[in-house]
Amino acid sequence: MISFEKIKKTFGEDEKPVFEDFNESIEEGEFVLLTGRSGSGKSTLINMLLKETEPDGGRIVVNGRDLSSIKPAEIPFYRRGIGVIFQDFRLFDEYTVFGNLEVTLNLTGGKGKDTEKRITDILKLLGIDRLYKRYPGELSGGEKQKVCMARAIINDPKILLADEPTGNLDPGSSKDIFKLLELIHRQGTTVVMATHDFDTAGAFIKEGRRVSLD
Ligand code: ADP
Ligand code: MG
């Protein structure tokens, strides 16, 4: 489903390469725990999957498509097929929880008669339906990250990318997020989660396969 073939990536002329010859393939339905010390390239791999940055050499194939063949104008459409969550949430503070999800559906053309039901169903699935009228500023970090997960999966992506999703959370909230990632995974989504803390993540995520960049 995702393959990295002979990936090379260096950011600046005087910098050490982040990747010299990176090869990995991820099958449909896998849960990959991408681990490695800070600076090992976890975010860079995720950003390459999102076409936010390009490799200097090699090939990335997602769902049979070589990412280098995607034209700039097609990138937004390509990204819609991939859910993503980040350490720093990136919610719209001026919208409620419901509003954040509605905006996402509007932006991705997924809006329709069933919008309200879709949003409510996702919030229920993640156990946060009682928060739907709140603003991000009225939520804890763990609650914000659950809203981000709702936003990431509302379009039923086949792939969910998570870049240090628990990096700003306390241990209790982190455990909730890992459990929800497992739930989403069990529903058939391929999950790739970057974390610098394999010991904690690995303790909760039993279904994961570790890919270490160290
Ligand atoms: P990780 O997520 O594993 O902590 P990153 O992928 O963020 O690592 O970074 C890998 C290396 O690439 C680091 O040395 C980082 O400084 C460098 N790097 C990442 N993004 C950029 C960028 N946009 N410009 C310059 N250097 C970068
Ligand atoms: Mg990172």
Side-chain angles (χ1 to χ4, degrees), residues 41-143:
K42 303 179 294 296
S43 296
T44 302
L45 270 193
I46 286 181
N47 292 337
M48 288 194 291
L49 283 176
L50 291 168
K51 272 188 87 69
E52 276 172 14
T53 187
E54 298 293 327
D56 303 326
R59 209 163 77 110
I60 302 174
V61 181
V62 176
N63 283 325
R65 180 121 196 230
D66 181 338
L67 296 195
S68 67
S69 75
I70 297 178
K71 298 188 185 77
E74 293 176 86
I75 291 176
F77 181 76
Y78 163 73
R79 285 189 190 142
R80 262 175 234 167
I82 302 179
V84 56
I85 59 177
F86 302 97
Q87 175 170 349
D88 57 354
F89 315 125
R90 307 186 191 181
L91 292 168
F92 294 119
D93 288 332
E94 65 278 23
Y95 289 97
T96 61
V97 166
F98 187 89
N100 266 275
L101 297 180
E102 197 176 29
V103 168
T104 302
L105 285 176
N106 286 345
L107 290 175
T108 56
K111 204 180 171 204
K113 270 186 293 191
D114 61 344
T115 295
E116 202 163 328
K117 182 171 176 348
R118 268 174 78 186
I119 293 175
T120 319
D121 285 350
I122 294 273
L123 294 176
K124 276 188 191 150
L125 175 75
L126 300 181
I128 50 169
D129 44 313
R130 69 196 159 79
L131 303 177
Y132 79 104
K133 282 185 176 164
R134 298 247 202 117
Y135 287 87
E138 302 167 337
L139 302 174
S140 71
E143 288 167 341

